[in-house]
Amino acid sequence: MKLNQKKQRFKQILNGKFFLATSLVIFSCTQVQARQTPSGQSNRPAATVPNVVFAAPPLPPGTGAPTGRRSGAGSRGCGNINSAANVADKKHLTALVPSIQSNEFLLAEFVGGLTTAERPTFWFYITYQPPFTGQFILQDKDENVVYKTNVILPAKPGVMRISLPSNLPPLEIGKVYNWYFNITCESDAQRISSVNGWIQRTSLNTSVETQLQNATPQQKVSLYASNGIWYEALTTAAELRRNNSNDQNWANLLQEVGLSEIASAAIAEN
C-alpha cells in the first residue's frame, strides 16, 4: 500500500513540474509576441519582410563591347592634401547600379540598367569630401553631351542622388545613354576617381502600367525590380527609407545586386 502511495505521489510531482514548465514556455512566448518597439509597431524580425527580386534585363542593342565601372579607386591627393585624409572609410566611390554579366564577352560585366522615367535619378555612394568635388556627365551613344553638372559632395560619406533637371529634354525611349561620375580636385580639376555605365529608357506593357497605378510604394519596388527597371525601383525604395528608417526595401534591393555593404549608409538630403 505504501509503495502504491509513493508511486502516485511521484506521478503528481512529475505532472506538477510538467505543468509549471509548460506554463513558463507559454508565458515566455506570449511575452515575446506582445513586445513592441517604441513606435508602437510589432517588433517582427526582418525576415518577415518579403525580399525584393531583381530580374536583370537583356542587354539593350547598341550597348556594344563590355563597358562600365561600378567602383572607382583613387589614392592621389588634391594639391597638398592627401586623398586618404579625406576618405572617412575604406569603401570606394560606387555607383548604385547592377553589374550584369554577359556570356557573349567571356563573363565580362555591363554596368547600368533600365528606366521608365523621362528624367531619371542616379545614385552614388560617395567617400570623398571637400576640397574634392564631383562631376556628372550624361552622353548619347555618339558622345554628344546631354547633361553635365558639377556636384558639391556631402560633408560625410554617404549616398547622394543626382536627378536630371525638369528643363532637360526627356530621354528617348529605346536609346542607350552613357553616364560618368568623376571625383576631381577642386583646385586643378584633376580626376581622382570615376565610375561609369549605361542607361536606357524603356516602356512597360499595359498590364504592368495598370498594376503600378494601383500599387502601394512597397509593391511598386517589387514591380519595377521584377521587370528589370532598376532606377525607379531604387528611387522608390529610397523614398520608403526616407519615410521609415526601418523599411527593408532599400537594403533588399542593394543586396540583390551585390551592394549589401552600402545598404546601411546614410542618404544625403541634397
Side-chain angles (χ1 to χ4, degrees):
M1 184 69 178
K2 291 183 178 180
L3 181 59
N4 290 336
Q5 287 178 345
K6 288 182 178 180
K7 289 182 177 180
Q8 291 177 358
R9 179 59 178 166
F10 184 69
K11 287 182 180 179
Q12 289 175 353
I13 292 172
L14 287 178
N15 290 338
K17 289 182 177 179
F18 177 77
F19 175 79
L20 177 61
T22 304
S23 300
L24 289 173
V25 170
I26 294 173
F27 177 75
S28 176
C29 291
T30 303
Q31 290 295 95
V32 171
Q33 290 173 353
R35 189 183 302 157
Q36 293 185 333
T37 62
S39 63
Q41 296 178 346
S42 176
N43 187 22
R44 295 179 179 178
T48 61
V49 179
N51 287 330
V52 177
V53 177
F54 175 69
L59 293 172
T63 308
T67 185
R69 181 184 179 92
R70 188 164 72 168
S71 178
S75 59
R76 291 172 297 182
C78 187
N80 294 325
I81 300 176
N82 191 296
S83 64
N86 290 271
V87 180
D89 61 25
K90 296 181 180 179
K91 303 184 187 71
H92 297 299
L93 166 68
T94 305
L96 304 192
V97 290
S99 184
I100 304 172
Q101 290 187 337
S102 171
N103 293 328
E104 183 180 353
F105 294 95
L106 299 178
L107 300 180
E109 294 180 331
F110 290 80
V111 176
L114 301 179
T115 181
T116 59
E118 294 183 345
R119 302 168 187 86
T121 296
F122 301 80
W123 296 87
F124 301 92
Y125 178 78
I126 310 295
T127 58
Y128 294 85
Q129 295 84 54
F132 297 97
T133 188
Q135 183 184 67
F136 177 80
I137 304 171
L138 182 67
Q139 296 180 343
D140 63 20
K141 65 177 182 179
D142 298 320
E143 299 186 356
N144 298 310
V145 175
V146 175
Y147 179 64
K148 181 178 180 180
T149 185
N150 292 326
V151 179
I152 298 176
L153 303 179
K156 297 180 179 180
V159 174
M160 69 177 299
R161 76 190 74 194
I162 297 176
S163 298
L164 299 185
S166 58
N167 61 351
L168 191 74
L171 300 187
E172 296 181 28
I173 293 178
K175 191 172 182 178
V176 177
Y177 298 82
N178 293 316
W179 50 260
Y180 305 84
F181 188 85
N182 304 318
I183 298 295
T184 61
C185 180
E186 188 175 17
S187 60
D188 57 11
Q190 181 184 14
R191 189 169 68 180
I192 305 299
S193 185
S194 65
V195 290
N196 66 286
W198 60 270
I199 185 172
Q200 182 191 40
R201 186 183 169 202
T202 188
S203 56
L204 295 170
N205 61 50
T206 304
S207 175
V208 177
E209 287 182 347
T210 301
Q211 292 179 64
L212 285 169
Q213 291 173 3
N214 301 312
T216 64
Q218 291 86 350
Q219 292 169 337
K220 286 182 179 180
V221 175
S222 294
L223 280 169
Y224 281 127
S226 62
N227 284 276
I229 310 300
W230 173 258
Y231 291 91
E232 279 64 67
L234 191 63
T235 299
T236 305
E239 186 64 19
L240 285 169
R241 183 184 168 187
R242 188 179 72 86
N243 295 329
N244 178 8
S245 60
N246 294 321
D247 188 87
Q248 295 297 308
N249 284 279
W250 172 268
N252 289 341
L253 195 56
L254 290 179
Q255 183 177 1
E256 276 287 288
V257 295
L259 294 173
S260 56
E261 73 279 4
I262 296 175
S264 61
I267 299 178
E269 293 294 333
N270 58 313

